[in-house]
Amino acid sequence: FDSDEHLERYYGLGVYPKIHDDIYSLDRYVRDLNVLDVGCCYGLLSARLADTHKVVVGVEPSARYLSKAIRRGNIHYMRMAITEDTLPELSKILREYNIQAAYMRRVIPEIWETGGYALVNGFIGTLAVNNVQRIVVEGRKTTRNHINPLYKAEKEIEACGKYYGVIARFRNCAVLEINNAR
């Protein structure tokens, strides 16, 4: 995910990395919505989303990744880690940019590693109370010796279940829609 080779192929050939093909294949369920790309790294998925969305906001804790991130007029990058302390700032971003959908490629387990289920619940709740209608997740590749309890897409989906339910699946990815009866 953090290979400069992906950037070189994008800039040299205009080719997006195949690592985003599965999650991007579900974009038809969130077309025309303003989107948040959580853990955007170099912004390759953000750039791909910018082709089909008016507003894309990428959040990433690494200054190194953001310094190389792909720039476009409709992509806004924010240096931010998802922590209990940054959830109020995230709420402001969601409202300011009228974010209606969020993409999370293998990031929910990282949020768990930062603050456990309390932070995951707080983060997903922050999306829900700020009217993020859909989230698109791609789970980690399952390994036999996993340590993280959110080791696959199904576990991430369960972690979002208080606020969101599945409306579409493809391989290790899912689109979740906000529950009307919160």
Side-chain angles (χ1 to χ4, degrees), residues 80-90 111 114-115 119 122-123 126:
M80 172 191 290
I82 304 299
T83 67
E84 197 67 41
D85 293 338
T86 62
L87 292 180
E89 183 181 349
L90 178 63
I111 293 171
T114 300
L119 181 57
F123 168 67
T126 297

Side-chain angles (χ1 to χ4, degrees), residues 73-131:
N74 62 335
I75 303 175
H76 310 274
Y77 293 110
M78 311 288 173
R79 183 169 177 223
M80 172 191 290
I82 304 299
T83 67
E84 197 67 41
D85 293 338
T86 62
L87 292 180
E89 183 181 349
L90 178 63
S91 287
K92 289 178 189 173
I93 291 167
L94 295 172
R95 288 189 306 271
E96 178 181 347
Y97 290 97
N98 189 29
I99 298 298
Q100 301 147 316
Y103 278 76
M104 296 178 274
R105 183 175 181 273
R106 301 179 180 174
V107 75
I108 296 174
E110 293 179 22
I111 293 171
W112 182 89
E113 289 170 1
T114 300
Y117 283 114
L119 181 57
V120 170
N121 291 334
F123 168 67
I124 300 301
T126 297
L127 297 176
V129 300
N130 285 286
N131 207 32

Side-chain angles (χ1 to χ4, degrees), residues 3-65:
S3 170
D4 281 350
E5 179 183 323
H6 293 308
L7 283 174
E8 291 165 10
R9 286 182 45 84
Y10 172 77
Y11 285 121
L13 302 172
V15 175
Y16 292 112
K18 291 188 180 300
I19 60 172
H20 298 139
D21 285 355
D22 287 354
I23 195 167
Y24 187 75
S25 74
L26 295 171
D27 190 58
R28 66 185 178 272
Y29 294 97
V30 296
R31 257 312 127 92
D32 300 323
L33 301 178
N34 293 348
V35 298
L36 179 73
D37 182 7
V38 183
C40 66
C41 193
Y42 294 131
L44 285 155
L45 180 58
S46 297
R48 197 167 183 179
L49 293 169
D51 292 340
T52 55
H53 298 275
K54 187 176 175 182
V55 174
V56 177
V57 176
V59 294
E60 169 61 48
S62 170
R64 181 175 71 86
Y65 292 149

Side-chain angles (χ1 to χ4, degrees), residues 124-157:
I124 300 301
T126 297
L127 297 176
V129 300
N130 285 286
N131 207 32
V132 174
Q133 294 297 304
R134 296 201 171 161
I135 57 178
V136 185
V137 298
E138 181 173 352
R140 287 182 170 180
K141 299 259 185 226
T142 304
T143 62
R144 294 179 70 202
N145 299 322
H146 63 271
I147 297 171
N148 192 302
L150 303 177
Y151 63 95
K152 61 182 180 177
E154 287 74 19
K155 298 296 184 182
E156 292 185 37
I157 291 166

Side-chain angles (χ1 to χ4, degrees), residues 153-165:
E154 287 74 19
K155 298 296 184 182
E156 292 185 37
I157 291 166
E158 287 174 20
C160 299
K162 180 177 179 182
Y163 300 101
Y164 293 89

